[in-house]
Amino acid sequence: MWSHLVRWESARRRFGLVGCADDRWLREGGGHPTITEEIREAIFAVREETLRGAKVSMRTKESTIHRYVREAFGPDRPVPSYPALCRVWREWFGPGGARQRCPPG
């Protein structure tokens, strides 16, 4: 116990209060647990489809993702909510798809 206090105090002096934090207090990042391989495939297929045409809304992209999943994997496959799809789309492709990022995986 004494060694923990000494280590925390020296870390506090060196880094401030954040020096007292250790891994036990930090939650692990969950990524996007609702984005399965099937959903990822659907998102990329819809992106590929919408790159060449006129600009479409996120609602249109969402309904196209739903249709893709239903046709490719069956009607019982769950699809994430609209806000989750928006968040992932923005994270992977940027706002409006304008700024491209390298998606995970």
Side-chain angles (χ1 to χ4, degrees), residues 4-25:
H4 290 300
L5 294 176
V6 171
R7 185 171 36 87
W8 285 342
E9 178 57 22
S10 64
R12 185 195 61 80
R13 285 187 187 147
R14 193 164 167 207
F15 302 110
L17 283 178
V18 77
C20 296
D22 63 13
D23 293 340
R24 294 174 297 172
W25 298 344

Side-chain angles (χ1 to χ4, degrees), residues 18 30 33 36 44 75-77 83-84 86 90 97 99:
V18 77
T36 62
F44 276 94
D76 297 333
R77 187 72 52 159
C86 285
R90 243 181 282 116
R99 152 179 78 83

Side-chain angles (χ1 to χ4, degrees), residues 36-99:
T36 62
E37 281 304 312
E38 292 89 359
I39 301 300
R40 187 177 190 280
E41 179 183 321
I43 290 171
F44 276 94
V46 169
R47 176 150 194 277
E48 192 63 34
E49 184 181 314
T50 58
L51 274 177
R52 291 180 284 292
K55 188 172 180 176
V56 295
S57 70
M58 190 60 210
R59 285 285 179 193
T60 302
K61 293 172 190 170
E62 177 210 19
S63 65
T64 310
I65 290 168
H66 277 269
R67 186 173 58 247
Y68 183 97
V69 170
R70 198 171 42 248
E71 291 172 1
F73 307 110
D76 297 333
R77 187 72 52 159
V79 178
S81 66
Y82 174 79
L85 289 173
C86 285
R87 198 168 33 254
V88 168
W89 192 280
R90 243 181 282 116
E91 185 179 305
W92 290 359
F93 308 120
R99 152 179 78 83

